Amino acid sequence: MDRNVKYLIIGAGISGLTFANYADGDYLIIEKEKGVGGYCRTIKKKDYVWDYAGHFFHFSTDEFKKKFLDSVNPEDIKYKDKNTKIIYKGELVDYPFQTNIHQLEKEEFIDCLYDLFHKEEKEDYDSFLDMLYGKFGKSIVEKFLKPYNEKLYAVDLKTLDKDAMGRFFPYADIPAIIDNMKANKDSTSYNNSFLYPRNGAGSFIQILYDALDSSKILMEHEVVKIDNEHKVAQLDDGSKINYEYLINTSPLNHFLGYFEGEKFSALKNRLSYNKVLVFNLGFNKKSKFTEEHWMYIPDKAVNFYRIGFYDNILDADKLSM
């Protein structure tokens, strides 16, 4: 059946659901999965709570934060000061690496400190990698920043913009690095403290979903074609949606495939992207890591780049990772 809507929203993940919460009610969400949440869905199995990946919410406004917290039992929220490590040559180094080089072996520490003081900063950088060398010097970059981010992005860092990570990158100047040698406090990361729902990230998704009209969310439906000129989207069941505004939250390479025309296919072919495979594992006892929340692994001989411990965040008595 054909429909007319003001806002056609592709995807019922956290972005799509949030937009619908603040729309004027004239919306329709198209979601190809059986449930909402996208990559913020939560899986519960026996004593274990897992997300599709580790997600932590850092609210941009107090108003938005209050919207969530007022809808949750205070006892169901865990508040934590971040405890994160880097597995470097078999030892644990506090994150971020660049402010904890004093924890390295003496010779490596001297290399990092020497290169840090002799780095060549510039007004303009050509790429993300160029920026790293300019800000932190050769040793810090090649021991951690370069190998870790190459694993994370699965791309040559020269192809990334200098601001590719935005606020998520922990910048630090020389005074901050020197001060941290004694204070040993991470003041550069955006998520030094965080909150986490006892029942997983899906708890927040449920709050967004419950505030909406479920009849305006089409589950197990997918957009297959979009006529951008006439503002019509065709679904996999043959029905058509006439829209005034199109809100996309699906991956851009999928989204561009909905349009016909050379300019869309050319743009799609210009995009690069990678995929992340997440394993959620549970064990009936704790590991030797009882305080760490997550760890970073720059070593390219190891084919994963991060490991997280839900049990240490939730104060559980069984290893959930």
Side-chain angles (χ1 to χ4, degrees):
M1 182 177 67
D2 294 355
R3 298 173 66 167
N4 299 305
V5 296
K6 183 175 182 179
Y7 300 109
L8 177 61
I9 304 168
I10 301 177
I14 189 168
S15 299
L17 295 177
T18 299
F19 184 91
N21 266 259
Y22 289 90
D24 57 13
D26 188 3
Y27 62 84
L28 179 67
I29 301 177
I30 309 299
E31 172 54 56
K32 70 176 182 178
E33 302 293 344
K34 294 181 179 180
V36 300
Y39 290 125
C40 289
R41 279 175 289 177
T42 294
I43 303 167
K44 297 179 183 178
K45 189 170 184 180
K46 296 184 179 179
D47 296 328
Y48 303 99
V49 175
W50 295 301
D51 292 333
Y52 268 51
H55 293 288
F56 302 98
F57 296 96
H58 308 283
F59 301 95
S60 59
T61 67
D62 290 338
E63 176 190 0
F64 200 55
K65 181 177 181 178
K66 187 175 186 298
K67 175 183 175 67
F68 282 97
L69 296 185
D70 285 351
S71 303
V72 180
N73 186 329
E75 295 182 358
D76 288 336
I77 299 292
K78 303 293 291 187
Y79 293 88
K80 293 289 182 178
D81 290 327
K82 185 182 68 174
N83 183 333
T84 52
K85 306 290 184 182
I86 298 161
I87 301 178
Y88 181 74
K89 296 187 176 181
E91 301 293 333
L92 295 184
V93 176
D94 286 333
Y95 180 88
F97 187 89
Q98 51 269 35
T99 59
N100 291 288
I101 54 176
H102 59 285
Q103 297 179 9
L104 302 175
E105 292 291 331
K106 181 180 178 180
E107 288 190 10
E108 289 204 274
F109 169 51
I110 291 173
D111 286 343
C112 290
L113 197 59
Y114 180 87
D115 289 346
L116 181 65
F117 272 87
H118 291 86
K119 58 188 172 65
E120 298 181 0
E121 290 200 68
K122 301 188 296 186
E123 287 292 329
D124 296 305
Y125 294 102
D126 298 330
S127 66
F128 185 65
L129 183 62
D130 189 34
M131 179 276 294
L132 293 180
Y133 278 116
K135 295 283 188 182
F136 299 103
K138 182 175 184 290
S139 292
I140 290 176
V141 171
E142 296 186 356
K143 292 177 188 300
F144 177 72
L145 294 176
K146 184 174 184 287
Y148 178 77
N149 283 288
E150 284 178 341
K151 289 177 73 173
L152 174 65
Y153 288 109
V155 71
D156 185 340
L157 300 185
K158 293 179 182 177
T159 66
L160 293 180
D161 181 80
K162 63 183 179 65
D163 296 316
M165 289 185 67
R167 70 187 181 98
F168 300 104
F169 186 81
Y171 292 96
D173 55 19
I174 291 177
I177 292 172
I178 298 299
D179 286 346
N180 199 56
M181 293 179 185
K182 187 171 183 178
N184 200 28
K185 179 70 175 178
D186 176 16
S187 60
T188 60
S189 298
Y190 75 99
N191 58 352
N192 295 319
S193 61
F194 62 91
L195 60 85
Y196 190 76
R198 190 182 297 276
N199 293 311
S203 301
F204 286 160
I205 297 298
Q206 193 64 41
I207 292 169
L208 290 169
Y209 175 69
D210 289 343
L212 299 176
D213 182 347
S214 61
S215 68
K216 296 181 179 181
I217 304 176
L218 293 184
M219 302 289 194
E220 297 184 85
H221 282 75
E222 188 172 2
V223 173
V224 294
K225 183 179 178 181
I226 296 175
D227 181 342
N228 189 49
E229 182 179 355
H230 297 96
K231 295 189 174 183
V232 178
Q234 181 176 324
L235 305 187
D236 50 0
D237 62 0
S239 62
K240 294 181 178 180
I241 312 296
N242 301 292
Y243 61 85
E244 188 174 345
Y245 298 100
L246 181 64
I247 313 300
N248 175 62
T249 70
S250 69
L252 282 177
N253 58 313
H254 292 179
F255 179 62
L256 291 171
Y258 301 147
F259 299 89
E260 293 182 342
E262 186 175 330
K263 68 176 182 179
F264 292 106
S265 59
L267 181 55
K268 179 180 178 180
N269 292 334
R270 286 176 54 196
L271 293 176
S272 65
Y273 58 92
N274 65 341
K275 295 183 179 182
V276 175
L277 181 63
V278 179
F279 285 94
N280 285 312
L281 306 174
F283 299 87
N284 62 5
K285 63 180 182 179
K286 296 282 283 187
S287 73
K288 68 177 183 179
F289 302 112
T290 58
E291 298 180 355
E292 292 80 7
H293 298 142
W294 61 90
M295 298 178 178
Y296 303 91
I297 301 96
D299 186 353
K300 292 190 176 181
V302 179
N303 66 351
F304 55 91
Y305 61 84
R306 190 173 64 210
I307 181 171
F309 301 95
Y310 290 97
D311 53 309
N312 293 340
I313 295 171
L314 299 174
D315 300 317
D317 59 2
K318 296 179 181 179
L319 172 59
S320 180
M321 58 190 286

